[in-house]
Amino acid sequence: MTVQPPRPPAEEPVTGLAGEYRNVRLPQGHPVVKSGKVGVLLVNLGTPDGTDYWSMRRYLREFLSDKRVIEWPRAIWYPILYGIVLMTRPGKSGKAYEEIWNKEKNESPLRTITRNQSDRLSEMLGDDGGRLKVDWAMRYGQPSIPDRLKALKDEGCDRILVFPLYPQYAAATTATVNDVVCRTLLDMRWQPAIRTVPPYHDDPVYVKALAKSVEQHVESLDFTPDVVLTSYHGIPQSYFKRGDPYHCHCMKTTRLMRNVLGWDEDKLRVTFQSRFGPEEWLQPYTDKTVEQLAKDGVKNIAVMNPGFVADCLETLEEIAGEAAEIFEENGGENFSHIPCLNESDLGMEVIEHVVRRELGGWI
């Protein structure tokens, strides 16, 4: 009698770096294994879910509780935050957001633009045969970094490039994104390999895109700006003195722009905006500079925001709105805000360039 050998258990394919491994199969009942894909996660600062008091309070609480943003001792800062700031600021901030809110989509412009950047980048990169996934997240608010990292991992991304959308490095922006990424990895049994995009404040593609956006905007105006301000989000002087390179990065970006445009320091100037609290921040201040220019008889200016890759509250309400009013109230005549690169062809050329460079060896 011939004895037949036992039949092996049914097996399931396992997907891997090159798609399906032709000669590697999992035994029946083995957990599903998804791997071999590469993810790209674009991350911007954040956005409230709405302009109402409680939506603003949730957002501001998360933002202003971050030790990277407010470096004061908790024993000093928290009584101020919970006793004063979160009682009064949500209403004021909500009214400011209401002025720029995307009513059609019921969301902030930052959310709209960041999603569009992600969608356009996905189209530009392609999916590399199903291996490449592009997604987006916010450091504060939704969609969150942990949620989107987990989603990419669940889709089989075992290599993820995290792109903090800040050309100039600051601990309060780039570092806090990386903090959350690292904390998220602590809870993962199977961690993906992670790369983070370094600052690109002096990248020639980025600098040339900024300069080109200035030239295109100035050509569209019916006046010629006597002065153009490059207004960057400020940080406290104390952060700079502790070693934050942000100020140097901002100064270099504008200096390189001058070289490309062929302008001098009087024509293209550096200022800093959005100061908060009693500390001294990086100077010169944008609002004070705009006011002084008008009082000095300068009639025509334009302001741009090289440190923001997407228009948001700080650019649309603070610069295009408040700064314009300050200029006109003090004798200025013509004011124009130069939009951020956003999801324009120039802006997407920069993002694609940086992503392709940092994905080297992965795709």
Side-chain angles (χ1 to χ4, degrees):
M1 182 176 66
T2 302
V3 178
Q4 297 292 332
R7 298 179 63 185
E11 297 175 331
E12 300 174 359
V14 54
T15 57
L17 199 55
E20 180 179 327
Y21 287 133
R22 302 200 191 297
N23 299 316
V24 178
R25 303 182 71 82
L26 292 174
Q28 187 177 26
H30 192 286
V32 175
V33 176
K34 290 184 178 181
S35 64
K37 296 180 181 180
V38 177
V40 177
L41 186 65
L42 305 181
V43 183
N44 215 317
L45 183 77
T47 175
D49 295 324
T51 61
D52 60 282
Y53 177 86
W54 290 108
S55 294
M56 290 304 312
R57 182 183 169 92
R58 283 194 300 272
Y59 171 69
L60 290 171
R61 180 178 59 197
E62 183 181 12
F63 175 46
L64 297 175
S65 295
D66 188 345
K67 293 181 179 179
R68 292 284 195 180
V69 175
I70 305 295
E71 296 186 3
W72 294 2
R74 303 293 91 178
I76 296 175
W77 172 236
Y78 271 20
I80 299 172
L81 175 63
Y82 286 92
I84 301 174
V85 176
L86 292 179
M87 297 296 290
T88 60
R89 195 171 178 87
K92 296 177 181 178
S93 296
K95 291 179 181 178
Y97 268 100
E98 187 67 29
E99 295 181 13
I100 66 164
W101 202 249
N102 184 338
K103 302 296 196 304
E104 180 181 350
K105 295 183 179 293
N106 190 28
E107 62 186 18
S108 72
L110 184 63
R111 186 193 298 272
T112 304
I113 295 168
T114 306
R115 181 195 301 111
N116 291 344
Q117 289 170 330
S118 176
D119 291 345
R120 284 207 63 188
L121 181 63
S122 182
E123 294 173 0
M124 296 167 79
L125 295 176
D127 65 359
D128 195 40
R131 288 187 56 233
L132 187 61
K133 300 287 184 180
V134 178
D135 206 343
W136 60 284
M138 295 291 176
R139 169 59 183 90
Y140 313 103
Q142 301 297 324
S144 72
I145 295 172
D147 286 349
R148 300 326 301 161
L149 282 177
K150 184 178 185 301
L152 287 171
K153 180 66 174 65
D154 289 345
E155 288 190 54
C157 295
D158 51 24
R159 305 181 185 202
I160 300 175
L161 174 67
V162 178
F163 190 168
L165 293 168
Y166 311 111
Q168 297 78 22
Y169 176 97
T173 53
T174 308
T176 190
V177 169
N178 295 338
D179 288 346
V180 175
V181 171
C182 292
R183 285 198 294 267
T184 302
L185 294 180
L186 289 173
D187 295 326
M188 289 187 174
R189 178 172 294 279
W190 185 358
Q191 296 176 338
I194 295 290
R195 288 179 179 174
T196 60
V197 172
Y200 56 101
H201 60 287
D202 55 358
D203 188 289
V205 175
Y206 163 66
V207 174
K208 290 177 182 178
L210 291 174
K212 187 65 176 178
S213 73
V214 173
E215 292 174 334
Q216 291 177 348
H217 187 81
V218 170
E219 288 174 1
S220 72
L221 300 175
D222 58 3
F223 67 93
T224 300
D226 303 305
V227 175
V228 175
L229 302 181
T230 56
S231 180
Y232 298 88
H233 198 295
I235 61 171
Q237 285 277 5
S238 60
Y239 297 9
F240 168 63
K241 292 176 181 178
R242 291 171 192 156
D244 200 301
Y246 180 71
H247 178 266
C248 301
H249 286 187
C250 295
M251 299 299 288
K252 188 173 184 180
T253 296
T254 298
R255 175 172 60 80
L256 294 175
M257 284 182 61
R258 291 192 194 105
N259 294 342
V260 175
L261 291 166
W263 293 359
D264 60 24
E265 293 185 12
D266 290 330
K267 178 72 172 182
L268 189 67
R269 306 186 188 183
V270 177
T271 60
F272 297 92
Q273 64 180 84
S274 308
R275 63 189 183 277
F276 171 81
E279 283 194 75
E280 181 181 356
W281 284 46
L282 295 180
Q283 296 184 32
Y285 298 139
T286 300
D287 55 354
K288 299 299 183 182
T289 301
V290 167
E291 179 181 346
Q292 192 60 51
L293 284 171
K295 290 180 177 179
D296 289 344
V298 176
K299 298 301 182 183
N300 311 297
I301 70 169
V303 183
M304 68 179 306
N305 301 98
F308 296 82
V309 303
D311 277 306
C312 54
L313 184 73
E314 287 81 3
T315 68
L316 298 174
E317 195 272 339
E318 186 176 353
I319 299 301
E322 291 182 5
E325 291 178 3
I326 292 171
F327 186 65
E328 293 168 2
E329 289 172 356
N330 287 278
E333 295 180 359
N334 295 303
F335 179 102
S336 183
H337 174 245
I338 301 172
C340 296
L341 294 176
N342 296 321
E343 69 270 47
S344 68
D345 290 344
L346 286 173
M348 294 311 304
E349 180 183 357
V350 176
I351 292 176
E352 181 188 14
H353 161 71
V354 173
V355 168
R356 286 192 182 278
R357 182 188 69 204
E358 298 303 320
L359 283 177
W362 279 7
I363 62 170

